[in-house]
Amino acid sequence: PMLAVCGDSDSVVPFHENMEPVRNRYRALGAPVELIMKPGADHHPHSLEDPERIVDFIIRNQPHYQQKQDIHRRGALTNA
């Protein structure tokens, strides 16, 4: 599985020239691709203010994910 975090206004690595073709090829091969598009974002800053969607993607794509459903978030991720 692949996760891409892209800015829709990225002038350094434009989505339509870079990640979009990669995503299309990957999907054509039957591989899962998730995209988080940041509206109005340029190349920087990378990532997201709240990394919860990225952490969720990583956890969901671990082997035996269903057996790891005992995560209880209490406040911030440092309290998980």
Side-chain angles (χ1 to χ4, degrees):
M2 179 186 296
L3 173 66
V5 179
C6 302
D8 69 356
S9 300
D10 192 331
S11 58
V12 177
V13 184
F15 171 76
H16 295 295
E17 295 175 19
N18 295 277
M19 188 56 211
E20 187 173 42
V22 170
R23 179 181 66 169
N24 293 342
R25 286 183 183 180
Y26 217 65
R27 284 183 173 170
L29 294 170
V33 180
E34 290 186 36
L35 174 66
I36 298 174
M37 187 63 77
K38 299 181 341 181
D42 197 355
H43 191 69
H44 293 282
H46 296 298
S47 195
L48 303 171
E49 286 186 30
D50 180 358
E52 184 173 353
R53 292 172 65 189
I54 297 170
V55 172
D56 177 64
F57 173 85
I58 294 167
I59 291 170
R60 281 186 289 112
N61 288 285
Q62 294 299 306
H64 311 293
Y65 166 69
Q66 296 302 323
Q67 296 171 1
K68 298 177 183 180
Q69 290 296 309
D70 60 350
I71 296 171
H72 301 285
R73 183 174 173 180
R74 299 179 307 272
L77 288 174
T78 55
N79 259 349

